[in-house]
Amino acid sequence: MKALLYNPVLIKELKLRFRSVKSSVGLLFYLLALSTFVFGMIFMATSFTGSGFFRPEESYYMFIVLTYIQLGLVLFITPGLTAGTISSEREKQTLTILLTTAQKSWQIIFGKLASSLSFLVLMLISGLPIYSLVFLFGGVSPLQLVQIFLFFLLTVLAIGSLGVMFSTITKKTIVSMIATYGSMLFLTGVTAFFLVLSIQASYGLGMGTPSPSPIGHFWASINPGIMAFSLVSPDGMFFLNEMTQIDFPVWVIYISFYLLITILALFISIKKLRVNMSKMR
C-alpha cells in the first residue's frame, strides 16, 4: 500500500498534468458546455419566460441526455489520454532512463494510468453539481446518479487500461491511439451490429418465433450505450429481454467483462514493459 501511495511516477505525472494551463482550460470549457446545455434546456422548457413549469418528465429526459454526453466524453477522451503514456516516453527516448530507476514495472504502469485517468475522474466529479440540478425538479433518484458514476469509473478504467496496454506493446503513439480507438469502436458500434445480426438469426432459426439468443444478450451486455440505457431506464430493458429471450441482468456481464479486460490489459502491460526495453538494446 505504501508503494502504491508514494509512487514517484504518479506524483511526477500528476504535477505535470495539473500544472498545465491546458488542463484548467479544458475543464473550464467542459463545465461551460454542460452548464450551457442544462440551463438552455431549462429556459426552453419554460419558454424563455422564467415563469413556466419544468416538469419531472423533462428533468428525467435532461438526465438521460447528460448521461450520454458524459459517456461520449469518456469514450472519446480516455483513449487520447492513455494511448501515449508509454509510447511517448519511448519516442522521447526517456523510457530507458525510466526503466533503469528503482521503480518496478507495476509502479510505472499504475502511475501512468492513474495520472492519465485522474483528469477524467476530476471532470466527472466536477460535473456532479450540474448533474444534481435534476434533483431540484424530481424524476431522478440519487441511487441512479451513484450507479451512473460507478459505471463511468469502470468504463474509464477498462478503456484506459487498454490504452496503456497498446501504448506498451506498440512503438508509435499513433499506432497505439488507432488500436485503442478501434477497440472503443468495437465495443460500441460493432457489438451493436452483432446484436442486430444475432436477433435476426434467432428469429430466422425459430421460423418466425424468436428462439433464445445468449450470444445476442452477451453483445448487448458489453455495449456501454446499452448499459447506460439499462441504468437510466431499467424498465426499458424488458424490451431487450423479450428480443433475446434471455432474462439475465446485463450489469453482471458488463462488470465481469470490463473487470476482466482491465486485469488482462494491466497484466500484459506489466509483463511487456521490460521486454520492450531489451529489444531496444
Side-chain angles (χ1 to χ4, degrees), residues 60 144 147 228-239 241:
Y60 176 68
Q144 280 183 299
Q147 289 175 338
F229 181 71
S230 73
L231 294 176
V232 298
S233 179
D235 295 336
M237 294 312 293
F238 289 115
F239 179 67
N241 295 337

Side-chain angles (χ1 to χ4, degrees), residues 30 33-46 53-71 127-141 144-145 148 152 228 232-233:
Y30 166 71
L34 272 187
S35 303
T36 302
F37 169 76
V38 170
F39 289 106
M41 194 167 179
I42 292 175
F43 280 122
M44 287 179 64
T46 57
F53 296 98
F54 196 76
R55 294 184 292 273
E57 295 82 8
E58 292 167 333
S59 173
Y60 176 68
Y61 294 143
M62 185 170 69
F63 174 70
I64 294 176
V65 175
L66 275 176
T67 299
Y68 277 94
I69 289 176
Q70 293 259 43
L71 179 60
L128 285 179
I130 301 175
Y131 243 117
S132 62
L133 285 177
V134 298
F135 294 127
L136 296 176
F137 308 100
V140 179
S141 69
Q144 280 183 299
L145 186 61
I148 288 293
F152 285 148
V232 298
S233 179

Side-chain angles (χ1 to χ4, degrees), residues 46-239:
T46 57
S47 302
F48 297 95
T49 62
S51 58
F53 296 98
F54 196 76
R55 294 184 292 273
E57 295 82 8
E58 292 167 333
S59 173
Y60 176 68
Y61 294 143
M62 185 170 69
F63 174 70
I64 294 176
V65 175
L66 275 176
T67 299
Y68 277 94
I69 289 176
Q70 293 259 43
L71 179 60
L73 167 82
V74 166
L75 296 178
F76 182 75
I77 295 183
T78 306
L81 288 176
T82 58
T85 49
I86 302 298
S87 55
S88 61
E89 294 278 358
R90 187 178 298 115
E91 290 171 348
K92 291 185 290 187
Q93 298 183 346
T94 54
L95 180 61
T96 308
I97 300 173
L98 182 62
L99 294 178
T100 53
T101 63
Q103 298 301 303
K104 298 178 181 177
S105 297
W106 71 266
Q107 287 179 305
I108 297 173
I109 294 297
F110 173 78
K112 291 287 186 180
L113 176 64
S115 62
S116 300
L117 299 186
S118 60
F119 181 67
L120 259 176
V121 174
L122 176 64
M123 293 181 76
L124 293 175
I125 293 176
S126 63
L128 285 179
I130 301 175
Y131 243 117
S132 62
L133 285 177
V134 298
F135 294 127
L136 296 176
F137 308 100
V140 179
S141 69
L143 179 61
Q144 280 183 299
L145 186 61
V146 173
Q147 289 175 338
I148 288 293
F149 188 73
L150 293 177
F151 159 68
F152 285 148
L153 286 182
L154 177 60
T155 306
V156 163
L157 181 62
I159 298 177
S161 301
L162 283 176
V164 173
M165 181 191 73
F166 286 123
S167 181
T168 306
I169 62 179
T170 59
K171 294 182 179 179
K172 299 292 184 182
T173 300
I174 185 65
V175 177
S176 172
M177 293 189 72
I178 292 172
T180 310
Y181 276 110
S183 302
M184 185 268 293
L185 182 63
F186 176 83
L187 293 172
T188 54
V190 178
T191 52
F193 178 66
F194 284 165
L195 169 64
V196 174
L197 291 181
S198 301
I199 297 299
Q200 288 183 341
S202 67
Y203 274 80
L205 293 175
M207 302 300 290
T209 303
S211 57
S213 177
I215 187 65
H217 197 77
F218 172 76
W219 292 125
S221 300
I222 65 173
N223 187 293
I226 296 177
M227 182 62 201
F229 181 71
S230 73
L231 294 176
V232 298
S233 179
D235 295 336
M237 294 312 293
F238 289 115
F239 179 67

Side-chain angles (χ1 to χ4, degrees), residues 23-37:
S23 300
S24 302
V25 173
L27 185 61
L28 173 64
F29 277 99
Y30 166 71
L31 293 177
L32 282 177
L34 272 187
S35 303
T36 302
F37 169 76

Side-chain angles (χ1 to χ4, degrees), residues 1-8 11 106-107:
M1 179 59 79
K2 184 178 179 180
L4 190 67
L5 296 177
Y6 296 97
N7 187 330
I11 295 172
W106 71 266
Q107 287 179 305

